[in-house]
Amino acid sequence: MGQCYYNETIGFFYNHSGKELSSRWRPKDVVVVALGLTVSVLVLLTNLLIIAAIASNRRFHQPIYYLLGNLAAADLFAGVAYLFLMFHTGPRTAQLSLLGWFVRQGLLDTSLTASVATLLAIAVERHQSVMAVQLHSRMPRGRVVLLIVGVWVAALGLGLLPAHSWHCLCALDSCSRMAPLLSRSYLAVWALSSLLVFLLMVAVYTRIFFYVRGRVQRMAGHVSCHPRYRETTFSLVKTVVIILGAFVVCWTPGQVVLLLDGLDCKSCNVLAVEKYFLLLAEANSLVNAVVYSCRDAEMRRTFRRLLCCLCLRRRSAGGSPRYTASTQTGTNTRIMLSKNGHPLMDSTL
């Protein structure tokens, strides 16, 4: 084993990796921090609202909404982690201890890993529901809890590993440029694991789409409202494209530069874009709130009740408002499935 540098400063590792450590606030730093603070505040507010909505509305006490709540919690954590980063970046980076730097990095890695893993868990739950022709899966609450615990164990594992072992304090030649205290192999594994999650999501949602399209086509021969079923298919396509498209737009740029840095691409100027791509990945925590929750009609009604205290009091005094099912509620594309032309039960994506 080579010499270890546990007593060195942050500047030592940044200088060795070739990453500039600014001593004053540059215009680029100010822009990044301003955008980062704005995104972080929006992420915190929207995901707090989602968690409050799921906790207050008993109709949301279903497996899919528990997972949506966990997604909101992971994204809320990501907002806190990014807020912490914004207050410890720029010239303030040089003031961090090695432990402080690892805490800053670990918060980001843990929260973003939990968010991505929960997206995959939601896809698996939707697959189970659609295949069972159910509005919500009948997954036992204990199994949902185990799934959520598994997500956070994996996230904490990836987040804590760098501080304990997967660093380059004892192997300077393996240090990355984007994260000068981390091993390049860690960045490569993180990027590849996120790519694997995306491919699994593509496979799950593709199977859901072809399954539903096949059922709709078979049903079209028994019903007269053919345009309605074509519209259902188009709605399903739209929902899948939004889900996967949001993931690709927000995550792909950051994963590409992480992978290039992890593979030690000398000619790739990853440092020129890393801050903006990290901001884009953080923005996914805001996009998740819109794609998975805010487009749900019942969720929006709950938001209005929470945001309007007077309205909430009137409704609580006069009784709960009557629930009206909608044809399409955001990620919930409701489809009447049957085997013989008669509606059996609607299923959601």
Side-chain angles (χ1 to χ4, degrees):
M1 178 181 290
Q3 181 180 356
C4 294
Y5 299 87
Y6 295 114
N7 296 322
E8 294 292 345
T9 63
I10 294 295
F12 171 82
F13 293 96
Y14 273 65
N15 290 334
H16 180 272
S17 297
K19 185 174 184 178
E20 183 181 2
L21 194 60
S22 60
S23 58
R24 58 183 178 81
W25 287 100
R26 300 165 297 181
K28 182 178 76 170
D29 297 326
V30 174
V31 170
V32 170
V33 170
L35 290 174
L37 290 175
T38 302
V39 171
S40 297
V41 170
L42 290 174
V43 167
L44 292 174
L45 292 177
T46 53
N47 287 287
L48 275 174
L49 187 59
I50 291 170
I51 292 172
I54 293 174
S56 63
N57 192 333
R58 299 185 68 178
R59 294 193 182 97
F60 295 148
H61 295 181
Q62 301 286 345
I64 180 59
Y65 289 107
Y66 294 149
L67 292 175
L68 287 177
N70 189 65
L71 178 63
D75 289 336
L76 180 68
F77 186 20
V80 172
Y82 201 74
L83 199 62
F84 183 84
L85 172 65
M86 291 299 98
F87 285 111
H88 297 83
T89 190
R92 294 173 181 167
T93 301
Q95 302 171 10
L96 291 171
S97 64
L98 296 188
L99 177 60
W101 191 94
F102 278 118
V103 169
R104 189 186 74 171
Q105 189 66 36
L107 288 174
L108 278 174
D109 293 345
T110 300
S111 59
L112 294 178
T113 300
S115 181
V116 172
T118 306
L119 292 177
L120 178 60
I122 290 172
V124 172
E125 194 280 342
R126 291 294 79 196
H127 178 272
Q128 179 177 337
S129 298
V130 170
M131 295 302 165
V133 198
Q134 297 170 352
L135 177 60
H136 299 296
S137 71
R138 296 178 180 176
M139 185 185 299
R141 291 187 180 183
R143 189 175 300 175
V144 176
V145 171
L146 287 177
L147 183 59
I148 291 174
V149 169
V151 165
W152 284 102
V153 167
L156 285 171
L158 277 176
L160 294 176
L161 269 177
H164 290 281
S165 58
W166 216 339
H167 51 67
C168 63
L169 303 186
C170 299
L172 292 183
D173 291 340
S174 67
C175 290
S176 75
R177 283 180 290 166
M178 290 175 58
L181 275 69
L182 299 185
S183 172
R184 288 192 302 271
S185 62
Y186 174 78
L187 298 189
V189 169
W190 206 96
L192 290 173
S193 63
S194 295
L195 176 62
L196 177 61
V197 168
F198 171 70
L199 293 176
L200 290 173
M201 287 175 60
V202 170
V204 170
Y205 282 119
T206 299
R207 177 169 169 76
I208 291 174
F209 169 72
F210 282 111
Y211 175 81
V212 173
R213 191 183 69 167
R215 297 295 293 269
V216 168
Q217 288 176 344
R218 288 194 295 272
M219 290 166 58
H222 301 279
V223 296
S224 57
C225 301
H226 294 186
R228 176 184 175 187
Y229 291 98
R230 285 196 295 270
E231 181 181 353
T232 296
T233 304
F234 290 142
S235 297
L236 180 61
V237 172
K238 179 181 177 181
T239 301
V240 171
V241 168
I242 290 174
I243 291 173
L244 298 180
F247 191 92
V248 169
V249 170
C250 293
W251 280 101
T252 301
Q255 300 309 316
V256 169
V257 295
L258 279 177
L259 188 58
L260 291 175
D261 190 20
L263 296 176
D264 197 21
C265 177
K266 300 292 187 182
S267 61
C268 303
N269 190 13
V270 295
L271 297 179
V273 294
E274 58 151 344
K275 293 184 182 296
Y276 302 104
F277 288 172
L278 176 59
L279 177 62
L280 188 59
E282 173 62 24
N284 185 244
S285 296
L286 181 60
V287 174
N288 286 339
V290 176
V291 173
Y292 288 88
S293 298
C294 295
R295 295 179 66 237
D296 187 295
E298 177 66 12
M299 187 73 76
R300 291 197 300 270
R301 284 192 286 271
T302 306
F303 290 160
R304 285 194 292 269
R305 291 198 294 270
L306 291 173
L307 294 173
C308 183
C309 295
L310 290 177
C311 182
L312 179 60
R313 291 173 183 172
R314 290 175 184 173
R315 293 190 180 188
S316 62
S320 300
R322 186 173 180 178
Y323 176 73
T324 303
S326 57
T327 302
Q328 181 178 344
T329 56
T331 55
N332 296 346
T333 302
R334 303 196 172 188
I335 304 155
M336 301 300 292
L337 300 176
S338 69
K339 296 182 179 180
N340 52 15
H342 300 292
L344 179 62
M345 185 181 295
D346 63 339
S347 185
T348 61
L349 174 57

